[in-house]
């Protein structure tokens, strides 16, 4: 009991007020969503109340086979603020996995409605997320997208189910009319994580019907192709190119698991055909052509890798290959012995081989075959003796004339092949007239009149030389 308090000479007993535990969740709250007690419990700042609301929400969704769009949007409004109040990284990650995991365990219709409600809510509320809470909502988006792929895997990648989820992405995420749309950042982030989550789903998928195959990957990429065709948002176009199709080309070239079975050439042709359509806008067409060329380049790299692999396997299997069947150490020894033999070769032979290569290059440049004598390429001493007889002089003269004609023909060929030379003009600014501040102007007979047409460069005017300057000085003295 509390101590009595005296007020105006009268003692009164003060009683403590007992906290009233007014339940937010009423007994029949889970039967229907006409009452908003469940949504208020999900958005409550009290952790225990939010936990009870999540438990009742899970039970309510699992017992229903179909949910209206209005009810799902109301539920996601409460779940949005439920995630808003969560603190600490471990708690946020666990709650994100818990909310995303509901897609896997619900019935097909409820799971699709749940995914659509999440997408519409995030697009509507994206502009209201502050910088302190943005990271945890990015984690939630990644977890929900990964859970949607897991749901498609459980349905054994049924084409109809895949198409329904792709329609949600196309209509509610990538249908961005302009960059002023408040939910544009949500679409940018989905473009950044889509291929990465597909790679993870392909690595985690099992064998048989649950394996993520190439045609299913192409179906999952269709919303992004439609978004690239229809959007007027330049930033979204850039994100679609860099975040989706450039990553698809890179993973295909690296033979990542889900993209190793994708028909890259067919995907490139599809992008090119959609880009060349008459109704496609010019900026969109440019990005689609770039994406198509990127995919074609990845296809060429794949083909070159296959050809090089076949060549290496044929070399290993070839019986005449000296390196076949040997270890790396033995092959290294053989290479060392070859290099030693090259080093021990005589310098005369090495010089002769180099001269032979040089002469062959000259012959190919001139376009005429020249016979090369290796012995003649050795340097010879100059003869100091003169020829004694006239016959020897005439013979040597004929030889020199023949050599001159041959060299002349070669020179003509070289000059005919070379491009015409341009005339080089040098301009010396030191020899031009310069008028300093405070000095008197030059006389009219020194300055070039505007009507005259000087030869050569216009900068080379009369009086540019030292002689001209001295005459200018004399004329100035006469004037003064």
């Amino acid at each position: 009991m509390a101590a009595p308090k005296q007020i105006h000479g009268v003692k009164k007993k003060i009683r403590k007020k007992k906290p009233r535990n007014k339940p937010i969740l009423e007994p029949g709250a889970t039967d229907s969503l006409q009452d908003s007690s469940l949504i208020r419990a999900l958005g409550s700042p009290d952790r225990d109340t939010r936990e009870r609301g999540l438990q009742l929400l899970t039970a309510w969704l699992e017992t229903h086979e179909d949910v209206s769009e209005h009810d799902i949007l109301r539920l996601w409004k409460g779940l949005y603020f439920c995630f808003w109040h969560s603190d600490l990284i471990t708690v946020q990650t666990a709650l994100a996995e818990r909310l995303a995991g509901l897609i896997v365990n619900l019935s097909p219709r409820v799971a699709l409605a749940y995914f659509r409600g999440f997408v519409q809510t995030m697009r509507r509320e994206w502009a209201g997320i502050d910088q302190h809470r943005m990271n945890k909502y990015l984690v939630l988006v990644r977890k929900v997208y990964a859970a949607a792929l897991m749901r498609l895997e459980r349905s054994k990648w049924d084409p109809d189910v895949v198409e329904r989820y792709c329609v949600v992405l196309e209509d509610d995420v990538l249908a961005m009319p302009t960059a002023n749309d408040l939910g544009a950042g949500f679409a940018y982030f989905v473009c950044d994580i889509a291929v990465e989550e597909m790679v993870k789903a392909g690595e985690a998928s099992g064998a048989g019907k649950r394996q993520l195959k190439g045609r299913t990957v192409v179906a999952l990429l269709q919303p992004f192709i439609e978004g690239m065709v229809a959007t007027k948002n330049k930033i979204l176009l850039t994100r679609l190119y860099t975040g989706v199709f450039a990553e698809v080309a890179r993973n295909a070239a690296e033979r990542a698991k889900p993209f190793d079975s994708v028909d890259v050439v067919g995907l490139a042709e599809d992008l090119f055909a959609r880009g060349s359509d008459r109704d496609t806008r010019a900026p969109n067409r440019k990005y689609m052509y770039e994406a198509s060329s990127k995919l074609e380049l990845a296809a060429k790299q794949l083909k070159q890798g296959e050809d090089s692999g076949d060549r290496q396997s044929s070399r290993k299997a070839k019986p005449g290959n000296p390196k076949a069947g040997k270890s790396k150490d033995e092959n290294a020894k053989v290479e060392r012995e070859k290099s030693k033999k090259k080093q021990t070769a005589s310098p005369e032979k090495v010089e002769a081989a180099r001269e032979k290569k040089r002469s062959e290059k000259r012959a190919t440049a001139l376009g005429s075959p020249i016979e090369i004598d290796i012995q003649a390429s050795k340097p010879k001493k100059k003869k100091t003796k003169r020829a004694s007889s006239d016959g020897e002089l005439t013979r040597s003269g004929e030889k020199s004339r023949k050599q001159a004609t041959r060299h002349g023909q070669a020179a003509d060929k070289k000059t005919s092949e070379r491009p015409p030379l341009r005339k080089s003009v040098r301009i010396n600014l030191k020899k031009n007239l310069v008028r300093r501040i405070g000095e008197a102007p030059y006389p009219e007979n020194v300055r070039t009149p505007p009507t005259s047409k000087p030869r050569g460069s216009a900068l080379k005017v009369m009086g540019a030389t030292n002689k001209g300057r001295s005459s200018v000085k004399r004329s100035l003295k006469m004037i003064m």
Side-chain angles (χ1 to χ4, degrees):
M1 294 292 293
K5 190 174 182 180
Q6 188 172 0
I7 302 172
H8 302 292
V10 181
K11 293 182 178 180
K12 288 187 177 181
K13 294 181 180 179
I14 300 172
R15 297 179 181 178
K16 288 184 178 180
K17 292 184 178 180
K18 295 181 180 179
R20 291 187 299 173
N21 295 325
K22 184 179 179 180
I24 295 178
L25 295 174
E26 296 177 2
T30 56
D31 296 336
S32 65
L33 293 178
Q34 298 296 329
D35 189 7
S36 61
S37 57
L38 178 59
I39 291 91
R40 286 190 287 111
L42 292 172
S44 173
D46 183 36
R47 184 177 178 181
D48 296 334
T49 307
R50 291 199 307 269
E51 181 62 30
R52 281 190 295 153
L54 283 171
Q55 292 175 1
L56 290 173
L57 173 67
T58 305
W60 187 84
L61 289 173
E62 288 177 353
T63 55
H64 284 71
E65 292 294 328
D66 196 4
V67 186
S68 65
E69 184 179 354
H70 178 68
D71 290 343
I72 281 291
L73 289 175
R74 291 181 67 200
L75 284 175
W76 263 111
K77 186 75 173 179
L79 290 173
Y80 173 80
F81 286 105
C82 178
F83 198 70
W84 180 281
H85 290 299
S86 63
D87 292 327
L88 302 176
I89 295 174
T90 54
V91 176
Q92 294 163 4
T93 307
L95 182 58
E97 291 177 353
R98 186 176 176 182
L99 296 178
L102 292 174
I103 300 177
V104 183
N105 301 321
L106 298 176
S107 62
R109 288 186 178 181
V110 177
L112 182 61
Y114 186 82
F115 181 67
R116 185 184 288 111
F118 164 75
V119 167
Q120 292 177 359
T121 302
M122 293 306 300
R123 183 174 174 179
R124 185 186 67 245
E125 304 289 343
W126 192 265
I129 303 173
D130 55 53
Q131 59 179 347
H132 305 291
R133 293 180 174 86
M134 180 57 74
N135 287 335
K136 67 179 182 180
Y137 279 100
L138 294 179
V139 172
L140 178 62
V141 173
R142 186 183 287 272
K143 296 288 185 185
V144 171
Y145 188 79
L149 293 176
M150 195 181 298
R151 175 74 195 189
L152 294 175
E153 182 192 353
R154 287 204 176 181
S155 66
K156 299 178 182 179
W157 304 106
D158 186 8
D160 296 334
V161 181
V162 172
E163 186 180 358
R164 291 192 199 107
Y165 279 83
C166 289
V167 167
V168 173
L169 285 176
E170 181 183 343
D171 294 343
D172 298 324
V173 179
L174 300 171
M176 295 289 166
T178 59
N180 297 326
D181 195 340
L182 297 177
F186 176 56
Y188 302 158
F189 185 67
V190 170
C191 293
D192 292 342
I193 66 170
V195 177
E196 185 181 351
E197 294 301 325
M198 286 181 198
V199 171
K200 292 179 183 177
E203 291 174 353
S205 62
K209 292 183 179 180
R210 288 196 171 185
Q211 186 179 4
L212 182 57
K213 297 180 181 179
R215 60 176 180 272
T216 308
V217 174
V218 173
L220 291 171
L221 291 174
Q222 286 301 316
F224 302 98
I225 297 175
E226 297 295 334
M228 188 173 266
V229 171
T231 187
K232 296 179 182 179
N233 189 345
K234 292 182 179 179
I235 304 173
L236 183 59
L237 274 174
T238 308
R239 291 296 184 96
L240 285 167
Y241 171 69
T242 57
V244 180
F245 296 103
E247 289 296 313
V248 169
R250 184 181 64 82
N251 284 287
E254 293 176 0
R255 295 179 175 277
K257 191 171 183 181
F259 295 97
D260 55 354
S261 59
V262 175
D263 185 11
V264 184
V265 178
L267 185 60
E269 291 176 355
D270 187 17
L271 276 169
F272 189 86
R274 296 297 300 275
S276 59
D277 192 5
R278 185 186 241 171
D279 299 332
T280 306
R281 297 171 65 249
N284 303 44
R285 183 180 293 112
K286 177 184 175 182
Y287 278 97
M288 294 185 80
Y289 284 169
E290 288 290 332
S292 178
S293 61
K294 199 96 173 174
L295 291 168
E296 287 177 354
L297 182 60
K300 287 180 182 178
Q301 291 176 357
L302 279 172
K303 193 173 182 181
Q304 289 174 0
E306 290 175 359
D307 295 342
S308 62
D310 294 340
R311 282 195 221 102
Q312 288 178 2
S313 60
S314 62
R315 282 176 191 168
K316 290 179 182 178
K318 196 173 181 181
N321 189 4
K323 293 184 180 180
K326 292 184 179 181
S327 62
K328 291 183 178 180
D329 297 334
E330 292 177 355
N331 292 329
K333 286 180 182 179
V334 172
E335 293 294 333
R336 278 192 226 106
E337 290 175 359
K338 286 183 180 180
S339 62
K340 283 180 183 179
K341 286 180 181 178
K342 288 180 182 179
Q343 291 175 2
T344 55
S346 61
E348 295 178 357
K349 291 182 179 179
V350 174
E351 186 63 30
R354 288 176 182 170
E355 188 64 29
K356 186 176 179 180
K357 287 182 180 179
R358 290 193 206 106
S359 56
E360 285 176 355
K361 287 181 180 178
R362 289 193 216 106
T364 52
L366 293 172
S368 60
I370 298 174
E371 294 181 358
I372 300 150
D373 190 4
I374 297 172
Q375 298 295 331
S377 63
K378 293 181 181 179
K380 295 181 180 180
K381 294 181 180 180
K382 293 182 179 180
K383 292 181 180 181
T384 56
K385 293 181 180 181
R386 293 183 180 179
S388 58
S389 61
D390 298 335
E392 291 178 357
L393 287 170
T394 55
R395 284 193 218 103
S396 62
E398 289 176 0
K399 287 181 180 178
S400 62
R401 279 196 296 275
K402 287 180 180 177
Q403 289 177 359
T405 54
R406 189 172 63 184
H407 288 305
Q409 291 175 0
D412 293 339
K413 287 182 179 179
K414 286 183 179 180
T415 52
S416 62
E417 290 175 0
R418 289 178 185 171
L421 297 174
R422 294 182 180 178
K423 186 178 178 181
S424 60
V425 180
R426 293 183 181 180
I427 299 171
N428 192 358
L429 296 176
K430 293 181 180 180
K431 294 183 180 180
N432 292 310
L433 294 175
V434 179
R435 180 175 174 271
R436 296 177 183 174
I437 299 173
E439 292 183 356
Y442 293 110
E444 292 183 358
N445 59 350
V446 176
R447 288 180 287 176
T448 306
T451 56
S452 65
K453 296 180 180 178
R455 287 186 178 182
S457 174
L459 296 174
K460 295 177 181 179
V461 295
M462 185 177 176
T465 59
N466 294 329
K467 187 176 179 181
R469 290 180 182 176
S470 60
S471 62
V472 170
K473 289 180 181 179
R474 285 197 299 270
S475 60
L476 286 172
K477 286 179 181 180
M478 291 172 65
I479 291 169
M480 294 175 68

